[in-house]
Amino acid sequence: MKRAVQQRTLETRARLTSVAHELVAQKGFEALRIEEVVLGAGVAKGTFFAHFKDKDELMDLLIGERISALLEQMAARPAPRDVDHLVRRLLPVVDLMASERYVFDVILRRSGAAALEEIGPIALTFGRLEEIVGQWLEQGAFRKDVPNDILVEGVEAFLVQTLALNFCALHRDKRMKDRLLPYLRAWLSPPGG
């Protein structure tokens, strides 16, 4: 009997996330409403809250899955050879993170930087991004006079700065690539290179 209940619970959660994915594809992340998710999944609102604490927890899962898929595509390709190539490789993730102000806000809150007690899907993707970028920096024509982990943290900091400026009314005049590239050229180019 317990196995049947557990299976039903998994199926319900899968239905909720499937409906949420469909609604996000139609309307975007911010426009998603819990009421529409439960209606589409054919469950009561209380059932949603049995699976997710709130909308942010669902968004953590949905956004984390998308970032994770992009990271796996990035990891499957050869390491970028220089900063320009590295920025082009990062752009799909950057574009997702900048797709909506709401997405960026959720990422900031759920990245681990906000000292949440639980490490969720988005926070895990930052760990994976660090691994991928770290491997790239070891293999490519990047500066070697600074420890790799510090270089990786700098890439992440400039990425967040780029995203934040994208949503600032005073700084919306540049494309993400055009803003990120000078930061990373200055940070990652070998001395004298």
Side-chain angles (χ1 to χ4, degrees), residues 88-101:
R88 282 194 304 273
R89 287 290 183 77
L90 289 173
L91 281 178
V93 171
V94 171
D95 289 343
L96 171 62
M97 291 178 168
S99 64
E100 297 177 37
R101 172 65 189 236

Side-chain angles (χ1 to χ4, degrees), residues 11-176:
E11 289 169 359
T12 301
R13 184 177 174 92
R15 226 173 31 251
L16 287 165
T17 57
S18 176
V19 168
H21 277 295
E22 290 172 20
L23 290 169
V24 165
Q26 294 168 13
K27 301 178 179 188
F29 287 95
E30 186 172 14
L32 181 108
R33 299 289 174 257
I34 293 170
E35 294 78 14
E36 293 177 312
V37 174
V38 297
L39 182 66
V43 299
K45 198 170 188 179
T47 301
F48 175 89
F49 290 108
H51 291 273
F52 301 100
K53 182 176 87 176
D54 54 21
K55 180 180 171 181
D56 272 5
E57 188 172 312
L58 173 62
M59 289 298 111
D60 190 9
L61 176 68
L62 299 179
I63 295 167
E65 286 176 351
R66 288 212 183 160
I67 294 171
S68 188
L70 291 170
L71 293 175
E72 290 314 308
Q73 291 171 11
M74 289 167 46
R77 299 180 65 199
R81 59 189 172 281
D82 57 29
V83 175
D84 290 36
H85 197 209
L86 182 139
V87 168
R88 282 194 304 273
R89 287 290 183 77
L90 289 173
L91 281 178
V93 171
V94 171
D95 289 343
L96 171 62
M97 291 178 168
S99 64
E100 297 177 37
R101 172 65 189 236
Y102 175 74
V103 171
F104 177 61
D105 290 345
V106 171
I107 288 169
L108 283 182
R109 287 193 310 272
R110 307 295 291 201
S111 66
L116 290 174
E117 290 181 23
E118 293 182 30
I119 300 298
I122 289 174
L124 293 173
T125 66
F126 274 79
R128 181 67 175 125
L129 177 63
E130 290 171 4
E131 290 174 22
I132 293 167
V133 171
Q135 291 168 359
W136 288 351
L137 296 179
E138 288 174 355
Q139 297 174 34
F142 304 103
R143 67 188 300 177
K144 306 295 184 210
D145 62 324
V146 174
N148 203 41
D149 59 329
I150 301 296
L151 291 176
V152 170
E153 287 179 16
V155 169
E156 285 184 318
F158 286 124
L159 177 60
V160 171
Q161 173 69 3
T162 297
L163 289 162
L165 288 174
N166 181 63
F167 292 108
C168 176
L170 297 175
H171 299 283
R172 294 193 64 120
D173 59 332
K174 286 188 179 179
R175 295 179 316 159
M176 299 294 281

